[in-house]
Amino acid sequence: MQKYISQHNLDTLLDTLIKRGIRVVAPRMNAGIPLYEPLGSSGEVVSDTLPRRSAKEAFFPVCEDIMSYKKEGQKVTITDIDPGRFPETVLFGVRPCDAAAIPVLDAVFSWDYKDEFFLERRKKTTIIGLACTAADDACFCTAVGLSPSASKGSDLFLTALEGGGYACDTCSEKGEALIANNQALFDGPSTSNPIPFAEPQTDTFDLTKVKAWLNDHFEDPLWDGIATRCVGCGACAFVCPACHCFDIVDEGTEKAGKRRKNWDACGFWKFTHHASGHNPRDLQPKRYRNRIMHKFKYYDDKFGQTLCTGCGRCVRICPVGIDIAAIVEEINKK
Ligand code: SF4
Ligand code: SF4
């Protein structure tokens, strides 16, 4: 059922949650860069800009310890890090392109191996999505079947209204519980109109057609053309809300150290480097091809969904101007 919350009551809600000891993560400025980070108070929220990195970090941090070891004489002690230690969290102000990526990640982190670190955080997090009222030239959520008002992945979804305040749509039991626990801050539905959504100016891709072309073009001159420019920096994967590759690394000495889970990227030449020295993706065209294949074919083959929500971050950040939307559009026209 739809509810209404004023801006004042929304600020009160965030401050109340923080006072109750709940970790509230939202877009805030850090050294001039908007990022999803824990808030000290509601006044820190910046809601008019897409954070530089995505909301996936709330569940899948850049780097985290999963185990430590210590050797004293002949005795070796291994200590698992307890995933149960994660705090209850509210992730606020999540853009539709970021929120929609979270169920996409659920599929891979709960598939053959249940990743307790990801799943424990998911269990303890309530996601409050926010409709977009601003888009730039890099946004293309509508081309991959989403929209600036898509509530996929959100537990509660807010839409800014003309005249102030937000319409609140509950999308899950977690969203219902958040409203039930803070009822005094919510009113019945408002009759005000939404502030116009920001519709990206892109054509919709026929993702079935794109996948059909990829099925038949593992070898194609397209890959050489793109990859002569790609420098393999991995920035596109690190800012992406849906990329999820990681590496497990032991750091320390013979006496003591930690086992860590660190983000990785298929654009890096070492990503598929075997201990034998052989590298099946020895050249950059093979690595960039994997990026497109994984997003628009392999993930769909396995989980029935596309691994791109059209947030445009990789387009904005690529140091050599590689535009994934333009590449998929080119494939779409073939
Ligand atoms: S591939 Fe690029 S546009 Fe698509 S979700 Fe990832 S960062 Fe966003
Ligand atoms: S950001 Fe651009 S240059 Fe860097 S790996 Fe991605 S496509 Fe290549």
Side-chain angles (χ1 to χ4, degrees), residues 124-159:
K124 290 183 171 166
T125 302
T126 301
I127 299 169
I128 305 181
L130 179 64
C132 276
T133 53
D136 66 15
D137 290 348
C139 293
F140 65 98
C141 63
T142 45
V144 290
L146 290 166
S147 81
S149 58
S151 60
K152 179 181 175 186
S154 293
D155 296 302
L156 193 65
F157 190 74
L158 304 188
T159 304

mmCIF file of all heavy atoms in Angstrom, residues 124-159:
data_model
loop_
_atom_site.group_PDB
_atom_site.id
_atom_site.type_symbol
_atom_site.label_atom_id
_atom_site.label_comp_id
_atom_site.label_asym_id
_atom_site.label_seq_id
_atom_site.Cartn_x
_atom_site.Cartn_y
_atom_site.Cartn_z
ATOM 1 N N LYS A 124 20.418 -8.807 6.717
ATOM 2 C CA LYS A 124 20.311 -7.759 7.737
ATOM 3 C C LYS A 124 20.110 -6.363 7.150
ATOM 4 O O LYS A 124 20.163 -5.381 7.882
ATOM 5 C CB LYS A 124 21.571 -7.767 8.598
ATOM 6 C CG LYS A 124 21.654 -9.003 9.485
ATOM 7 C CD LYS A 124 22.868 -8.933 10.352
ATOM 8 C CE LYS A 124 22.843 -10.046 11.386
ATOM 9 N NZ LYS A 124 24.142 -10.202 12.026
ATOM 10 N N THR A 125 19.909 -6.261 5.853
ATOM 11 C CA THR A 125 19.816 -4.931 5.225
ATOM 12 C C THR A 125 18.449 -4.688 4.611
ATOM 13 O O THR A 125 17.920 -5.543 3.888
ATOM 14 C CB THR A 125 20.911 -4.782 4.139
ATOM 15 O OG1 THR A 125 22.186 -4.984 4.744
ATOM 16 C CG2 THR A 125 20.875 -3.405 3.484
ATOM 17 N N THR A 126 17.894 -3.515 4.901
ATOM 18 C CA THR A 126 16.655 -3.063 4.264
ATOM 19 C C THR A 126 17.035 -1.979 3.262
ATOM 20 O O THR A 126 17.781 -1.049 3.594
ATOM 21 C CB THR A 126 15.689 -2.488 5.325
ATOM 22 O OG1 THR A 126 15.416 -3.525 6.277
ATOM 23 C CG2 THR A 126 14.386 -2.012 4.701
ATOM 24 N N ILE A 127 16.532 -2.114 2.041
ATOM 25 C CA ILE A 127 16.930 -1.201 0.960
ATOM 26 C C ILE A 127 15.808 -0.212 0.658
ATOM 27 O O ILE A 127 14.679 -0.617 0.343
ATOM 28 C CB ILE A 127 17.289 -1.998 -0.307
ATOM 29 C CG1 ILE A 127 18.469 -2.940 -0.010
ATOM 30 C CG2 ILE A 127 17.620 -1.061 -1.474
ATOM 31 C CD1 ILE A 127 18.741 -3.953 -1.093
ATOM 32 N N ILE A 128 16.121 1.079 0.785
ATOM 33 C CA ILE A 128 15.148 2.125 0.429
ATOM 34 C C ILE A 128 15.596 2.740 -0.892
ATOM 35 O O ILE A 128 16.610 3.446 -0.959
ATOM 36 C CB ILE A 128 15.044 3.214 1.527
ATOM 37 C CG1 ILE A 128 14.727 2.565 2.886
ATOM 38 C CG2 ILE A 128 13.986 4.244 1.139
ATOM 39 C CD1 ILE A 128 14.581 3.554 4.036
ATOM 40 N N GLY A 129 14.854 2.440 -1.958
ATOM 41 C CA GLY A 129 15.182 2.966 -3.283
ATOM 42 C C GLY A 129 14.598 4.359 -3.482
ATOM 43 O O GLY A 129 13.698 4.788 -2.760
ATOM 44 N N LEU A 130 15.146 5.075 -4.464
ATOM 45 C CA LEU A 130 14.707 6.445 -4.752
ATOM 46 C C LEU A 130 14.639 6.642 -6.266
ATOM 47 O O LEU A 130 15.637 6.418 -6.969
ATOM 48 C CB LEU A 130 15.711 7.432 -4.134
ATOM 49 C CG LEU A 130 15.452 8.915 -4.339
ATOM 50 C CD1 LEU A 130 14.151 9.346 -3.654
ATOM 51 C CD2 LEU A 130 16.622 9.742 -3.792
ATOM 52 N N ALA A 131 13.464 7.070 -6.759
ATOM 53 C CA ALA A 131 13.305 7.293 -8.205
ATOM 54 C C ALA A 131 14.228 8.407 -8.678
ATOM 55 O O ALA A 131 14.496 9.359 -7.944
ATOM 56 C CB ALA A 131 11.848 7.647 -8.513
ATOM 57 N N CYS A 132 14.702 8.300 -9.927
ATOM 58 C CA CYS A 132 15.642 9.290 -10.485
ATOM 59 C C CYS A 132 14.895 10.453 -11.125
ATOM 60 O O CYS A 132 13.994 10.240 -11.930
ATOM 61 C CB CYS A 132 16.487 8.640 -11.566
ATOM 62 S SG CYS A 132 17.885 7.769 -10.942
ATOM 63 N N THR A 133 15.341 11.648 -10.791
ATOM 64 C CA THR A 133 14.785 12.842 -11.434
ATOM 65 C C THR A 133 15.857 13.560 -12.256
ATOM 66 O O THR A 133 15.640 14.665 -12.732
ATOM 67 C CB THR A 133 14.183 13.800 -10.382
ATOM 68 O OG1 THR A 133 15.175 14.057 -9.397
ATOM 69 C CG2 THR A 133 12.948 13.214 -9.735
ATOM 70 N N ALA A 134 17.032 12.932 -12.395
ATOM 71 C CA ALA A 134 18.092 13.516 -13.225
ATOM 72 C C ALA A 134 18.855 12.390 -13.914
ATOM 73 O O ALA A 134 19.129 11.361 -13.303
ATOM 74 C CB ALA A 134 19.059 14.330 -12.358
ATOM 75 N N ALA A 135 19.130 12.577 -15.202
ATOM 76 C CA ALA A 135 19.923 11.588 -15.951
ATOM 77 C C ALA A 135 20.945 12.343 -16.788
ATOM 78 O O ALA A 135 20.743 13.516 -17.096
ATOM 79 C CB ALA A 135 19.015 10.763 -16.865
ATOM 80 N N ASP A 136 22.050 11.664 -17.119
ATOM 81 C CA ASP A 136 23.015 12.304 -18.030
ATOM 82 C C ASP A 136 23.152 11.459 -19.297
ATOM 83 O O ASP A 136 22.444 10.453 -19.465
ATOM 84 C CB ASP A 136 24.356 12.555 -17.328
ATOM 85 C CG ASP A 136 25.081 11.266 -16.962
ATOM 86 O OD1 ASP A 136 24.701 10.189 -17.483
ATOM 87 O OD2 ASP A 136 26.026 11.327 -16.165
ATOM 88 N N ASP A 137 24.061 11.860 -20.181
ATOM 89 C CA ASP A 137 24.194 11.189 -21.483
ATOM 90 C C ASP A 137 24.634 9.733 -21.356
ATOM 91 O O ASP A 137 24.464 8.957 -22.288
ATOM 92 C CB ASP A 137 25.227 11.933 -22.358
ATOM 93 C CG ASP A 137 24.696 13.273 -22.808
ATOM 94 O OD1 ASP A 137 23.485 13.504 -22.643
ATOM 95 O OD2 ASP A 137 25.493 14.091 -23.302
ATOM 96 N N ALA A 138 25.245 9.375 -20.204
ATOM 97 C CA ALA A 138 25.741 8.004 -20.056
ATOM 98 C C ALA A 138 24.666 7.040 -19.547
ATOM 99 O O ALA A 138 24.816 5.823 -19.668
ATOM 100 C CB ALA A 138 26.933 7.989 -19.099
ATOM 101 N N CYS A 139 23.573 7.558 -18.967
ATOM 102 C CA CYS A 139 22.521 6.684 -18.410
ATOM 103 C C CYS A 139 21.804 5.939 -19.539
ATOM 104 O O CYS A 139 21.479 6.550 -20.566
ATOM 105 C CB CYS A 139 21.480 7.513 -17.667
ATOM 106 S SG CYS A 139 22.066 8.310 -16.169
ATOM 107 N N PHE A 140 21.565 4.615 -19.346
ATOM 108 C CA PHE A 140 20.767 3.892 -20.349
ATOM 109 C C PHE A 140 19.937 2.767 -19.718
ATOM 110 O O PHE A 140 19.744 1.706 -20.302
ATOM 111 C CB PHE A 140 21.658 3.398 -21.504
ATOM 112 C CG PHE A 140 22.700 2.366 -21.160
ATOM 113 C CD1 PHE A 140 22.481 1.008 -21.385
ATOM 114 C CD2 PHE A 140 23.924 2.747 -20.617
ATOM 115 C CE1 PHE A 140 23.446 0.056 -21.079
ATOM 116 C CE2 PHE A 140 24.898 1.796 -20.305
ATOM 117 C CZ PHE A 140 24.657 0.448 -20.542
ATOM 118 N N CYS A 141 19.411 2.997 -18.511
ATOM 119 C CA CYS A 141 18.633 1.953 -17.821
ATOM 120 C C CYS A 141 17.439 1.497 -18.661
ATOM 121 O O CYS A 141 17.098 0.312 -18.682
ATOM 122 C CB CYS A 141 18.178 2.426 -16.448
ATOM 123 S SG CYS A 141 17.058 3.840 -16.466
ATOM 124 N N THR A 142 16.820 2.430 -19.384
ATOM 125 C CA THR A 142 15.629 2.079 -20.162
ATOM 126 C C THR A 142 15.993 1.141 -21.327
ATOM 127 O O THR A 142 15.157 0.365 -21.773
ATOM 128 C CB THR A 142 14.946 3.345 -20.713
ATOM 129 O OG1 THR A 142 15.959 4.204 -21.243
ATOM 130 C CG2 THR A 142 14.197 4.086 -19.633
ATOM 131 N N ALA A 143 17.240 1.210 -21.797
ATOM 132 C CA ALA A 143 17.657 0.357 -22.921
ATOM 133 C C ALA A 143 17.754 -1.107 -22.509
ATOM 134 O O ALA A 143 17.681 -2.002 -23.340
ATOM 135 C CB ALA A 143 18.993 0.834 -23.472
ATOM 136 N N VAL A 144 17.951 -1.377 -21.183
ATOM 137 C CA VAL A 144 18.079 -2.767 -20.722
ATOM 138 C C VAL A 144 16.852 -3.191 -19.908
ATOM 139 O O VAL A 144 16.916 -4.094 -19.085
ATOM 140 C CB VAL A 144 19.382 -2.983 -19.910
ATOM 141 C CG1 VAL A 144 20.598 -2.912 -20.815
ATOM 142 C CG2 VAL A 144 19.511 -1.998 -18.760
ATOM 143 N N GLY A 145 15.726 -2.516 -20.142
ATOM 144 C CA GLY A 145 14.456 -2.960 -19.569
ATOM 145 C C GLY A 145 14.129 -2.431 -18.190
ATOM 146 O O GLY A 145 13.157 -2.867 -17.575
ATOM 147 N N LEU A 146 14.939 -1.486 -17.679
ATOM 148 C CA LEU A 146 14.605 -0.878 -16.376
ATOM 149 C C LEU A 146 14.019 0.505 -16.623
ATOM 150 O O LEU A 146 13.698 0.864 -17.755
ATOM 151 C CB LEU A 146 15.857 -0.793 -15.499
ATOM 152 C CG LEU A 146 16.374 -2.135 -14.987
ATOM 153 C CD1 LEU A 146 17.776 -1.984 -14.422
ATOM 154 C CD2 LEU A 146 15.447 -2.668 -13.888
ATOM 155 N N SER A 147 13.904 1.305 -15.574
ATOM 156 C CA SER A 147 13.402 2.671 -15.752
ATOM 157 C C SER A 147 13.793 3.488 -14.527
ATOM 158 O O SER A 147 14.173 2.922 -13.491
ATOM 159 C CB SER A 147 11.876 2.671 -15.900
ATOM 160 O OG SER A 147 11.268 2.597 -14.633
ATOM 161 N N PRO A 148 13.712 4.823 -14.625
ATOM 162 C CA PRO A 148 14.069 5.667 -13.471
ATOM 163 C C PRO A 148 13.103 5.493 -12.297
ATOM 164 O O PRO A 148 13.377 5.967 -11.202
ATOM 165 C CB PRO A 148 13.969 7.094 -14.017
ATOM 166 C CG PRO A 148 13.808 6.970 -15.480
ATOM 167 C CD PRO A 148 13.317 5.605 -15.792
ATOM 168 N N SER A 149 11.984 4.800 -12.527
ATOM 169 C CA SER A 149 11.036 4.573 -11.424
ATOM 170 C C SER A 149 10.876 3.083 -11.122
ATOM 171 O O SER A 149 9.894 2.671 -10.503
ATOM 172 C CB SER A 149 9.669 5.188 -11.768
ATOM 173 O OG SER A 149 9.189 4.627 -12.976
ATOM 174 N N ALA A 150 11.863 2.271 -11.527
ATOM 175 C CA ALA A 150 11.783 0.817 -11.292
ATOM 176 C C ALA A 150 12.109 0.502 -9.832
ATOM 177 O O ALA A 150 13.132 0.955 -9.316
ATOM 178 C CB ALA A 150 12.754 0.089 -12.214
ATOM 179 N N SER A 151 11.264 -0.288 -9.188
ATOM 180 C CA SER A 151 11.482 -0.588 -7.767
ATOM 181 C C SER A 151 12.172 -1.939 -7.561
ATOM 182 O O SER A 151 12.341 -2.365 -6.413
ATOM 183 C CB SER A 151 10.148 -0.561 -7.022
ATOM 184 O OG SER A 151 9.278 -1.529 -7.565
ATOM 185 N N LYS A 152 12.583 -2.606 -8.632
ATOM 186 C CA LYS A 152 13.245 -3.922 -8.513
ATOM 187 C C LYS A 152 14.422 -3.833 -7.528
ATOM 188 O O LYS A 152 15.272 -2.950 -7.658
ATOM 189 C CB LYS A 152 13.751 -4.367 -9.891
ATOM 190 C CG LYS A 152 14.472 -5.700 -9.863
ATOM 191 C CD LYS A 152 14.992 -6.100 -11.241
ATOM 192 C CE LYS A 152 15.823 -7.375 -11.151
ATOM 193 N NZ LYS A 152 16.462 -7.728 -12.422
ATOM 194 N N GLY A 153 14.447 -4.717 -6.552
ATOM 195 C CA GLY A 153 15.552 -4.762 -5.597
ATOM 196 C C GLY A 153 15.326 -3.931 -4.342
ATOM 197 O O GLY A 153 16.030 -4.090 -3.359
ATOM 198 N N SER A 154 14.333 -3.033 -4.366
ATOM 199 C CA SER A 154 14.073 -2.190 -3.186
ATOM 200 C C SER A 154 13.072 -2.866 -2.258
ATOM 201 O O SER A 154 12.191 -3.601 -2.705
ATOM 202 C CB SER A 154 13.485 -0.833 -3.621
ATOM 203 O OG SER A 154 14.440 -0.091 -4.334
ATOM 204 N N ASP A 155 13.193 -2.589 -0.963
ATOM 205 C CA ASP A 155 12.185 -3.044 0.008
ATOM 206 C C ASP A 155 11.126 -1.965 0.190
ATOM 207 O O ASP A 155 9.955 -2.256 0.431
ATOM 208 C CB ASP A 155 12.867 -3.352 1.346
ATOM 209 C CG ASP A 155 13.847 -4.507 1.222
ATOM 210 O OD1 ASP A 155 13.415 -5.599 0.824
ATOM 211 O OD2 ASP A 155 15.048 -4.309 1.490
ATOM 212 N N LEU A 156 11.573 -0.725 0.101
ATOM 213 C CA LEU A 156 10.664 0.438 0.163
ATOM 214 C C LEU A 156 11.137 1.345 -0.967
ATOM 215 O O LEU A 156 12.350 1.494 -1.167
ATOM 216 C CB LEU A 156 10.844 1.123 1.511
ATOM 217 C CG LEU A 156 9.820 2.163 1.948
ATOM 218 C CD1 LEU A 156 8.458 1.497 2.161
ATOM 219 C CD2 LEU A 156 10.273 2.801 3.272
ATOM 220 N N PHE A 157 10.200 1.927 -1.727
ATOM 221 C CA PHE A 157 10.626 2.745 -2.865
ATOM 222 C C PHE A 157 10.010 4.131 -2.762
ATOM 223 O O PHE A 157 8.788 4.270 -2.632
ATOM 224 C CB PHE A 157 10.217 2.072 -4.183
ATOM 225 C CG PHE A 157 10.842 2.732 -5.380
ATOM 226 C CD1 PHE A 157 12.189 2.548 -5.660
ATOM 227 C CD2 PHE A 157 10.095 3.560 -6.208
ATOM 228 C CE1 PHE A 157 12.783 3.165 -6.755
ATOM 229 C CE2 PHE A 157 10.675 4.179 -7.302
ATOM 230 C CZ PHE A 157 12.021 3.982 -7.577
ATOM 231 N N LEU A 158 10.869 5.164 -2.794
ATOM 232 C CA LEU A 158 10.409 6.548 -2.641
ATOM 233 C C LEU A 158 10.384 7.267 -3.987
ATOM 234 O O LEU A 158 11.300 7.120 -4.796
ATOM 235 C CB LEU A 158 11.342 7.323 -1.709
ATOM 236 C CG LEU A 158 11.594 6.768 -0.304
ATOM 237 C CD1 LEU A 158 12.383 7.782 0.518
ATOM 238 C CD2 LEU A 158 10.302 6.420 0.402
ATOM 239 N N THR A 159 9.326 8.064 -4.166
ATOM 240 C CA THR A 159 9.210 8.896 -5.369
ATOM 241 C C THR A 159 8.987 10.333 -4.914
ATOM 242 O O THR A 159 8.016 10.606 -4.183
ATOM 243 C CB THR A 159 8.007 8.426 -6.222
ATOM 244 O OG1 THR A 159 8.169 7.040 -6.510
ATOM 245 C CG2 THR A 159 7.911 9.215 -7.517
#
